[in-house]
Amino acid sequence: QSVLTQPPSASGTPGQRVTISCSGSSSNIGSNYVYWYQQLPGTAPKLLIHRNNQRPSGVPDRFSGSKSGTSASLAISGLRSEDEADYYCAAWDDSLSGVVFGGGTKLTVL
Amino acid sequence: QVQLQESGPGLVKPSGTLSLTCAVSGGSISSSNWWSWVRQPPGKGLEWIGEIYHYGSTNYNPSLKSRVTMSVDESKNQFSLKLSSVTAADTAVYYCARGEGEEGRFDYWGQGTLVTVSS
């Protein structure tokens, strides 16, 4: 049981826009930054979004993040086949004094 | 370009101690970064194990705290993880990662190493 809650799966067709949600609490998302990681099959996670909505250099602007209260979302526009991956949200939790991850969302491009 | 490389036994016996090392290249382990371990059981999600700063300060996942020890070797530019009293539930791919700036932001990751707990 993960501290942050994500839907286990999401899907879309090429060119579509999809969103992945991440729900937490006042001790994590509600009071700290949210991060998003992309994990392609058989590879290490890659930082996709930091500080709720900032993209590291090299990450396409098709990826965007947002946060409101104790929830956050990752949006992917202009969906491509190479976006098929697992996506994880993460945040620091003040109560646990540690980093917590969501359970991950498997994105399928139909 | 910072690179991280995990190393250690791929098989550990139940009740034994899992020991892994992460070698850092392209950057100094003495920089202003936290250095973390994250694991991923086969087919499951990510779990943060803990982090260490170069002068030895640590934060551990409360669920693993009683079994985890992390250390830094500045002379070798590497950091290490020890997890004691392992069971099959500790079977996972173990990643080392560099924390950049605020907590939860991991900008560089190792490729990961699979550790299986089995007799």
Side-chain angles (χ1 to χ4, degrees):
Chain A
Q1 193 81 351
S2 302
V3 174
L4 304 181
T5 301
Q6 297 180 237
S9 64
S11 63
T13 56
Q16 263 191 332
R17 181 178 187 273
V18 297
T19 60
I20 297 172
S21 62
C22 176
S23 177
S25 68
S26 57
S27 64
N28 42 65
I29 293 178
S31 52
N32 294 293
Y33 290 124
V34 177
Y35 305 87
W36 289 93
Y37 294 88
Q38 177 193 58
Q39 187 176 33
L40 297 170
T43 69
K46 168 192 170 184
L47 180 65
L48 204 60
I49 296 289
H50 65 96
R51 289 195 173 189
N52 305 330
N53 55 19
Q54 302 299 303
R55 284 185 307 277
S57 60
V59 174
D61 59 6
R62 301 186 297 106
F63 295 91
S64 62
S66 64
K67 172 183 142 177
S68 178
T70 59
S71 294
S73 292
L74 172 71
I76 309 171
S77 60
L79 200 61
R80 298 184 177 185
S81 58
E82 57 260 39
D83 298 333
E84 194 161 281
D86 294 324
Y87 292 84
Y88 294 90
C89 58
W92 179 262
D93 190 294
D94 293 331
S95 297
L96 298 174
S97 293
V99 177
V100 291
F101 285 96
T105 298
K106 183 176 183 61
L107 175 64
T108 300
V109 180
L110 302 170
Chain B
Q1 177 81 345
V2 175
Q3 292 186 317
L4 291 80
Q5 179 68 58
E6 305 90 349
S7 62
L11 181 64
V12 180
K13 287 183 167 35
S15 78
T17 297
L18 178 159
S19 296
L20 295 174
T21 296
C22 180
V24 179
S25 59
S28 173
I29 201 162
S30 302
S31 59
S32 301
N33 298 99
W34 286 85
W35 303 92
S36 277
W37 289 95
V38 176
R39 70 180 182 179
Q40 184 172 36
K44 296 188 177 181
L46 302 171
E47 179 181 34
W48 179 76
I49 300 171
E51 63 185 0
I52 187 166
Y53 203 70
H54 65 86
Y55 53 66
S57 183
T58 56
N59 289 308
Y60 297 145
N61 185 323
S63 68
L64 300 169
K65 189 173 184 176
S66 64
R67 299 194 290 131
V68 172
T69 303
M70 293 183 184
S71 59
V72 167
D73 187 335
E74 292 186 85
S75 66
K76 294 183 178 178
N77 216 38
Q78 65 186 33
F79 62 107
S80 299
L81 166 71
K82 289 188 187 297
L83 182 66
S84 63
S85 304
V86 297
T87 68
D90 295 309
T91 293
V93 174
Y94 285 76
Y95 295 99
C96 56
R98 189 182 84 164
E100 172 62 23
E102 59 276 1
E103 299 283 4
R105 178 179 175 178
F106 304 116
D107 59 348
Y108 290 100
W109 295 69
Q111 65 184 27
T113 186
L114 174 63
V115 179
T116 302
V117 178
S118 174
S119 55

